[in-house]
Amino acid sequence: MALGKSLVNVVKCLVTNEKTKEVFDIGDTASDIDVEPILSAGKRDILRVKNKILGINETEDIVIGYKLKLKDNTFNIDVIALVDGGTISGSHYISIPAGQVVEKDLFTLTVYTEEKDYSRTTGYTVFTWKHCKGKVPKYKIKDGDFIVPEFEAESIPFRGETAVDIDSVTTLPGTVTP
């Protein structure tokens, strides 16, 4: 019998542009990721005559992807450009034109969490959502507060692909096992 894992923290977060293969490592600054399934809702048809049920025809809910909302505690202009659909020219960010639809690159979001055994880290669990399409980021500018953008995206896999991949690893990418 396998025991459940105690998972905690966002220890690494990678955003990979699927078109250019460019990887943006937002490290451990992504502090909060909401994950909500996108469902094709099933339905239940009941054949009822007066106070008697003669039959039930039911279809199940089907997951077609995930809605993701990520808070990053840094203002990473490269990630904003990918999620928003804008471009970068030197140090200047050019947002999407008002009132126009812009073709956005799809990206893969990969999140690493720690597996804990009491106080020690025993490994990492990796969550991967492919083919994410971003929405215009939200952020608040306020005296005395850091600007913490919120990114929203929908991950809709291609036919035959999984909606989310979850794996266990012993090290984080870019680290060497002693």
Side-chain angles (χ1 to χ4, degrees), residues 10 88 117 143 173:
V10 176
I88 298 173
D117 176 19
D143 262 358

Short mmCIF file of all heavy atoms in Angstrom, two decimals, residues 10 88 117 143 173:
data_model
loop_
_atom_site.label_atom_id
_atom_site.label_comp_id
_atom_site.label_asym_id
_atom_site.label_seq_id
_atom_site.Cartn_x
_atom_site.Cartn_y
_atom_site.Cartn_z
N VAL A 10 6.34 25.98 -3.54
CA VAL A 10 6.70 26.07 -4.95
C VAL A 10 8.20 26.32 -4.92
O VAL A 10 8.63 27.42 -4.58
CB VAL A 10 5.97 27.23 -5.66
CG1 VAL A 10 6.44 27.35 -7.10
CG2 VAL A 10 4.47 27.06 -5.59
N ILE A 88 8.98 42.60 -26.72
CA ILE A 88 9.99 43.37 -26.01
C ILE A 88 10.95 43.94 -27.04
O ILE A 88 11.42 43.23 -27.92
CB ILE A 88 10.76 42.50 -24.99
CG1 ILE A 88 9.79 41.97 -23.93
CG2 ILE A 88 11.89 43.29 -24.34
CD1 ILE A 88 10.40 40.96 -22.99
N ASP A 117 9.39 14.66 4.58
CA ASP A 117 9.29 13.63 5.60
C ASP A 117 9.67 14.32 6.90
O ASP A 117 10.85 14.50 7.18
CB ASP A 117 10.26 12.48 5.28
CG ASP A 117 10.27 11.42 6.35
OD1 ASP A 117 9.31 11.35 7.14
OD2 ASP A 117 11.24 10.64 6.40
N ASP A 143 1.23 52.39 -3.24
CA ASP A 143 2.30 52.87 -2.36
C ASP A 143 2.60 51.86 -1.27
O ASP A 143 1.68 51.37 -0.60
CB ASP A 143 1.90 54.19 -1.70
CG ASP A 143 2.46 55.41 -2.41
OD1 ASP A 143 3.20 55.22 -3.38
OD2 ASP A 143 2.16 56.53 -1.98
N PRO A 173 15.98 20.48 -11.64
CA PRO A 173 16.81 20.71 -12.82
C PRO A 173 17.89 21.74 -12.51
O PRO A 173 17.64 22.70 -11.79
CB PRO A 173 15.83 21.21 -13.87
CG PRO A 173 14.55 21.45 -13.19
CD PRO A 173 14.61 20.86 -11.83
#
